[in-house]
Amino acid sequence: MPFLTLSDGNSLFYKDWGNITGPPVVFSHGWPLQSDAWDNQMFFLGQNGYRTIAHDRRGHGRSSQPWTGNDMDTYADDLQQLFVHLGLTNATMVGHSTGGGEVVRYLGRHGTSRVDKAVLVGAIPPSLGAIPSNPDGVPLAVYKQQQQDFIDNRAQQAVDTANGPFFGFDRPDHNRSEGLVEQYVQQVLQGGFVNQYECLTALFLTDFTEDLKKMDIPTLLIHGDDDQLAPIDSTARKAAQILPNPTLNVYPGGDHGLPATHLHQVNQDLLDFIRGTGEGGGEGEDCPSTW
């Protein structure tokens, strides 16, 4: 399994699949998961001639579990080291949830010289929490409760999240998948405790507004209008108003875990956008749900 030794001595696990000479697509996963959450998209795009790359964020999955550096700036700098290590250029970056924040911070911090396009799926920018720049965000009392639940029983929090709002299994029209629940919990429990705990602060309280303004590349936002964890009105719809060149693709009834629950639709939307057949500006027509 490939690992990159970072400048601070920590190890970053990554996958490098598909056509090694094909256009690169770089995936960033959500909290508190790992790169395996993107396997279906990586396989699909790999079959279509692309080079697909995904890493386990520091402190998550198989990467090192350092006591420090669990913040968006460091996540972005780790990703830049991976770009340099693999010599990636003309890439498409894809981020889900917290990974969407990682993509936006990377582009705000390191620029777009290596990146042609970006895709944000159920992503947290401009901010998830109700901070001064986005007072309509998720109340900070929810953040505090998430922290406490994590400390009290991380495993039970993972079970409850997977059975409830992450995949929308608490909605009557969503058919629960035991496999998705088990996969989610397994990924959570492989990560570092302190790393996931501190990542909660990063994902709730980071302001990505200025990063979004610097993204001078076509950006596709894919978001469910029933996303209970990153509500669309305070995330994707606001981000689309800030981004220079956005397309907002809304999935009616869509939940937070779209890469799993709507995988075929997400796969096709990614392929169309990367190929250049799904670009545009502003908010597009709502997509029919595959659920």
Side-chain angles (χ1 to χ4, degrees):
M1 294 191 296
F3 288 87
L4 168 64
T5 300
L6 299 166
S7 59
D8 63 0
N10 287 296
S11 295
L12 196 75
F13 171 82
Y14 67 94
K15 304 177 181 185
D16 191 351
W17 293 0
N19 179 7
I20 193 68
T21 63
V25 185
V26 181
F27 294 87
S28 291
H29 63 81
W31 181 90
L33 303 176
Q34 57 182 256
S35 59
D36 294 0
W38 284 118
D39 278 359
N40 195 284
Q41 284 71 41
M42 294 179 67
F43 176 71
F44 174 78
L45 291 177
Q47 287 186 313
N48 279 276
Y50 292 88
R51 180 182 184 183
T52 58
I53 297 148
H55 67 292
D56 291 354
R57 184 178 302 117
R58 67 165 54 214
H60 296 68
R62 289 141 291 199
S63 293
S64 294
Q65 299 180 8
W67 189 258
T68 59
N70 304 299
D71 58 82
M72 286 293 168
D73 286 352
T74 306
Y75 300 153
D77 293 349
D78 290 349
L79 192 49
Q80 171 67 355
Q81 291 182 62
L82 183 61
F83 265 79
V84 172
H85 174 69
L86 296 177
L88 302 179
T89 57
N90 303 112
T92 297
M93 297 184 74
V94 184
H96 173 241
S97 190
T98 301
E102 181 177 278
V103 167
V104 170
R105 178 52 52 92
Y106 172 90
L107 294 169
R109 192 167 171 86
H110 295 285
T112 58
S113 63
R114 292 178 176 269
V115 183
D116 289 346
K117 297 181 179 181
V119 183
L120 308 177
V121 184
I124 60 175
S127 74
L128 183 62
I131 61 177
S133 62
N134 188 19
D136 298 326
V138 176
L140 296 188
V142 175
Y143 155 61
K144 293 296 185 183
Q145 187 61 56
Q146 289 272 12
Q147 281 188 313
Q148 192 60 53
D149 291 345
F150 184 92
I151 290 173
D152 290 344
N153 194 332
R154 175 174 66 152
Q156 189 61 51
Q157 183 191 55
V159 170
D160 293 343
T161 301
N163 275 300
F166 192 91
F167 299 113
F169 292 154
D170 54 347
R171 300 305 200 206
D173 58 340
H174 276 46
N175 297 318
R176 181 179 177 278
S177 165
E178 182 65 31
L180 286 182
V181 171
E182 291 186 5
Q183 181 188 55
Y184 180 97
V185 174
Q186 288 173 3
Q187 289 187 30
V188 171
L189 296 181
Q190 287 182 36
F193 194 95
V194 64
N195 312 99
Q196 291 175 353
Y197 178 81
E198 291 190 350
C199 189
L200 263 176
T201 298
L203 73 93
F204 263 94
L205 302 184
T206 301
D207 184 355
F208 298 98
T209 303
E210 295 305 313
D211 303 297
L212 290 167
K213 294 177 182 178
K214 298 176 183 177
M215 291 174 58
D216 57 349
I217 53 175
T219 302
L220 174 64
L221 301 99
I222 297 174
H223 217 101
D225 67 5
D226 191 34
D227 189 324
Q228 300 173 69
L229 297 181
I232 189 172
D233 287 338
S234 60
T235 55
R237 285 200 167 111
K238 286 199 172 182
Q241 295 173 357
I242 301 168
L243 284 161
N245 187 9
T247 298
L248 175 56
N249 198 347
V250 180
Y251 288 21
D255 50 75
H256 190 62
L258 297 178
T261 60
H262 295 63
L263 65 92
H264 298 298
Q265 185 176 350
V266 169
N267 288 353
Q268 191 61 51
D269 285 348
L270 287 175
L271 183 61
D272 289 346
F273 180 70
I274 296 168
R275 282 179 170 172
T277 59
E279 295 182 17
E283 181 168 350
E285 294 294 323
D286 287 356
C287 293
S289 174
T290 60
W291 199 235

